[in-house]
Amino acid sequence: MAAALLALALGGCAPVIQFRSQDKAGTNEPAPPTEMITEQLITVERQQHQDVANQGLDELLVPNPAPYAIGSGDVLSIVVWDHPELAGTAVNASPGAPDPSGANAAPPGFVVDHLGRIQFPLIGLVPVEGLTEEEARAVLTKKLSRYLAGPNVTLRVQSYRSKRVYIDGEVKAPGLQAINDIPMTLVEALNRAGGLLPTADQSRIVLERSQQRYRVNLRDLVQKGINPGLVMLKPGDVVRVQSRDESKIFVSGEVITPKALTMHDGRLTLNEALGESGGISPLSGDARQVYVVRKTSGRTRVFRLDAREASSLALAEAFELQPKDIVYVAATPLANWNRNLSLLIPGALTSAVSATTRP
């Protein structure tokens, strides 16, 4: 009987695994269909990935950024030559007792109030919010010309305090970054934050603007010949550089070393995942049943590769994994039979092998 069971296990066909899931009520849902990994499937998956990566990217690319516009809270330095009596002072100090520490003191100059105006001698309140330095200088010159003959005005932003972006995640110095006269591109903001840490995932940079969320893949932009310096930030933007640890692939089943793998800047192929796990176990792994389980919005997808075919290596190298994918290698029928029998009758496999080899 033991010999017959062993022969049946060795000659049987490998069953295909059926992956089932449960809904919130705990009832079993129908098993998702298994999709064979083919060249056609890889082409479709690659195109869908490109469409998602490029979604909304045109809104972020600004080849010719506009000059800095003065905003509420900025401090302006204004000099009217030959009229030192019109020099600005720290006009934004709160009334009352002075601050001995000086922590809240602003540099001397003309502070743009919450309505976008400055208080200037002779001419009173002057709206400057939304104007460039050149435009604000022209407005002041025109108004002063009513009281002064040929006024020579110099105006510049002394302290940039109205526009900021926030950098978070895997950078050396996360925090607020003030937008100044240098255009605040994504690359500029990352450099001001000290650059990316070694744990940063350059393929998963999230930019949140108002109610919109954009995913920026720096590696993909460079490969397409798009300058990342064209990605322009706006005031209030939040940039988060995600960690590589958030983009892991899980390899389990009949491989030499089951483990969680970190993607290489957003890229890891099925072939690389199997290779970094030591490959399929020659003793118990079924090369006909290499699965990739992927949770997408609304459903679970299951991909299958038959690694015995001649083209399987090329297909595995071309099939790119996504974060949180699970690579699973099924066991051979003999391995399953051995494990089940060992649970029921310890030592039964040794007896069966001895029975078949006994003279």
Side-chain angles (χ1 to χ4, degrees), residues 129-189:
E129 186 174 16
L131 303 179
T132 65
E133 291 181 344
E134 292 292 336
E135 293 169 344
R137 183 183 302 113
V139 170
L140 284 176
T141 301
K142 182 178 180 180
K143 290 182 176 294
L144 287 174
S145 62
R146 302 175 184 175
Y147 307 96
L148 304 176
N152 184 10
V153 180
T154 298
L155 182 148
R156 64 181 181 86
V157 180
Q158 182 171 319
S159 180
Y160 298 90
R161 305 191 304 171
S162 63
K163 303 176 179 66
R164 299 179 180 181
V165 297
Y166 187 78
I167 312 298
D168 188 20
E170 301 301 307
V171 292
K172 293 183 179 179
L176 291 173
Q177 298 291 336
I179 299 178
N180 53 24
D181 56 332
I182 301 176
M184 181 63 80
T185 64
L186 178 60
V187 176
E188 177 71 18

Side-chain angles (χ1 to χ4, degrees), residues 24-224:
K24 295 181 179 179
T27 59
N28 289 330
E29 296 180 349
T34 301
E35 307 174 50
M36 292 298 299
I37 298 178
T38 61
E39 294 183 1
Q40 293 77 10
L41 175 68
I42 293 174
T43 301
V44 173
E45 288 292 311
R46 187 174 298 168
Q47 184 61 44
Q48 291 178 352
H49 176 74
Q50 294 295 331
D51 293 341
V52 173
N54 295 332
Q55 188 174 6
L57 186 61
D58 294 339
E59 302 177 11
L60 304 178
L61 300 178
V62 181
N64 299 310
Y68 180 83
I70 299 171
S72 176
D74 287 341
V75 180
L76 306 182
S77 172
I78 303 175
V79 177
V80 181
W81 295 95
D82 297 329
H83 294 276
E85 70 278 6
L86 301 180
T89 58
V91 297
N92 67 323
S94 300
D99 183 7
S101 64
N104 297 323
F110 296 90
V111 180
V112 182
D113 65 15
H114 66 287
L115 297 178
R117 308 167 303 180
I118 60 172
Q119 178 77 31
F120 198 80
L122 294 181
I123 56 178
L125 293 173
V126 181
V128 294
E129 186 174 16
L131 303 179
T132 65
E133 291 181 344
E134 292 292 336
E135 293 169 344
R137 183 183 302 113
V139 170
L140 284 176
T141 301
K142 182 178 180 180
K143 290 182 176 294
L144 287 174
S145 62
R146 302 175 184 175
Y147 307 96
L148 304 176
N152 184 10
V153 180
T154 298
L155 182 148
R156 64 181 181 86
V157 180
Q158 182 171 319
S159 180
Y160 298 90
R161 305 191 304 171
S162 63
K163 303 176 179 66
R164 299 179 180 181
V165 297
Y166 187 78
I167 312 298
D168 188 20
E170 301 301 307
V171 292
K172 293 183 179 179
L176 291 173
Q177 298 291 336
I179 299 178
N180 53 24
D181 56 332
I182 301 176
M184 181 63 80
T185 64
L186 178 60
V187 176
E188 177 71 18
L190 294 177
N191 286 335
R192 291 189 191 181
L196 300 176
L197 294 174
T199 55
D201 188 349
Q202 298 186 24
S203 67
R204 302 187 69 198
I205 298 178
V206 178
L207 191 157
E208 295 186 4
R209 176 177 297 169
S210 298
Q211 302 299 323
Q212 297 292 328
R213 173 175 291 188
Y214 305 91
R215 296 188 179 275
V216 181
N217 188 332
L218 291 181
R219 173 181 167 272
D220 189 60
L221 289 179
V222 173
Q223 288 183 346
K224 294 177 181 177

